[in-house]
Amino acid sequence: MTQAHVLIPKDGSPDLLFVLLHGAGADAEQMRPLAEALHRQYPRAALVLPEGSEPFDAIPGGGAGFQWYSEQGDDAAKAARLTAAVPELIALVRRWAAKLEMSWERVALGGFSQGAILALEALQQEEQLAGRVLAFGGAYAYWPQHAPKDVSIHLLHGKDDAELPYPALLNAARELMALGADITADVLPKVGHELHPELIERAMEQLRTFIPARLWREAVLAAAEQDKSEPRH
């Protein structure tokens, strides 16, 4: 990951960090509509839009876009390349979080297509990397074996997505829910494999209204401690 487009509030320190990952064959510009929506909703947030370090290899000569890992070859080869790409993403997220003095709970990953697959896999492999993930038109490369602890996962998908059909993602979401994951899944009709404005708006609504289970637990514990400290009559 050699380049990144960065937006940081001009006055004062940011209070949130969003790292947004484009799809294969694209570049950071693809994530601009999501970045703009996040900036409107969270003007104090820092936005980092990195570009994949590899040229897109599905087109002879590489084309104009980038990728996080090659999708050429069989499923085993693609899965191995995905696994190999995760440490680089983790290092990038940790580097920016440290630079901005941001705790992991205030970091969120967003991704579309291959970027969403990479973000979801990173949260499966690494605990305390980010508190939320927004996965647009993505998938789980591996069947989930555990639920990321204290991470809110928001899956956003088009019902007409022919490239990564939604049923497999919903099955994975059900499995994660059974494992105790903090997860939402929105499938919108008449939307294909795209970072559609309706999906972005739904993501903004989830960010505004969804209360992470971690905060509920903290509130319950605080209430219990308060109840203990109150005098009995």
Side-chain angles (χ1 to χ4, degrees):
M1 301 171 190
T2 56
Q3 299 183 49
H5 300 260
V6 181
L7 176 63
I8 297 176
K10 295 180 179 179
D11 302 321
S13 300
D15 54 14
L16 295 170
L17 169 61
F18 290 91
V19 179
L20 310 181
L21 310 174
H22 63 74
D27 57 23
E29 188 66 22
Q30 183 183 57
M31 305 306 292
R32 184 172 295 276
L34 177 59
E36 291 174 348
L38 288 167
H39 181 63
R40 288 192 296 270
Q41 186 157 303
Y42 302 104
R44 300 300 311 165
L47 302 167
V48 176
L49 287 67
E51 292 186 338
S53 56
E54 300 180 8
F56 186 49
D57 64 3
I59 298 175
F66 301 91
Q67 62 191 19
W68 306 106
Y69 57 92
S70 174
E71 295 182 347
Q72 302 304 302
D74 59 20
D75 288 344
K78 288 186 284 188
R81 295 191 197 103
L82 165 62
T83 300
V86 168
E88 191 174 2
L89 172 62
I90 291 172
L92 180 144
V93 173
R94 290 259 161 84
R95 185 165 63 248
W96 275 102
K99 183 175 181 178
L100 298 174
E101 299 181 340
M102 197 80 62
S103 65
W104 69 271
E105 301 97 333
R106 307 196 69 79
V107 177
L109 304 184
F112 170 68
S113 193
Q114 190 185 79
I117 295 171
L118 179 60
L120 290 170
E121 181 57 25
L123 268 297
Q124 283 292 114
Q125 289 192 25
E126 186 74 5
E127 290 190 3
Q128 298 187 349
L129 178 66
R132 293 212 192 209
V133 59
L134 304 168
F136 296 85
Y140 278 91
Y142 305 98
W143 188 248
Q145 300 298 313
H146 71 280
K149 184 179 179 181
D150 294 335
V151 178
S152 297
I153 303 168
H154 303 296
L155 307 176
L156 303 118
H157 219 90
K159 192 172 184 179
D160 296 340
D161 189 333
E163 186 170 337
L164 291 171
Y166 75 91
L169 186 70
L170 288 187
N171 289 336
R174 293 187 185 100
E175 178 67 15
L176 280 163
M177 190 173 294
L179 292 169
D182 208 11
I183 189 167
T184 67
D186 292 284
V187 179
L188 301 189
K190 300 180 181 180
V191 175
H193 190 67
E194 56 189 315
L195 192 60
H196 195 280
E198 290 184 17
L199 291 177
I200 292 176
E201 178 50 39
R202 181 58 180 155
M204 296 304 102
E205 183 180 347
Q206 290 288 14
L207 289 174
R208 287 193 302 268
T209 62
F210 184 84
I211 300 176
R214 171 175 53 82
L215 297 183
W216 278 113
R217 290 197 302 271
E218 291 174 0
V220 170
L221 289 173
E225 289 300 320
Q226 178 65 27
D227 185 59
K228 289 178 182 178
S229 65
E230 290 180 354
R232 301 296 181 182
H233 299 286

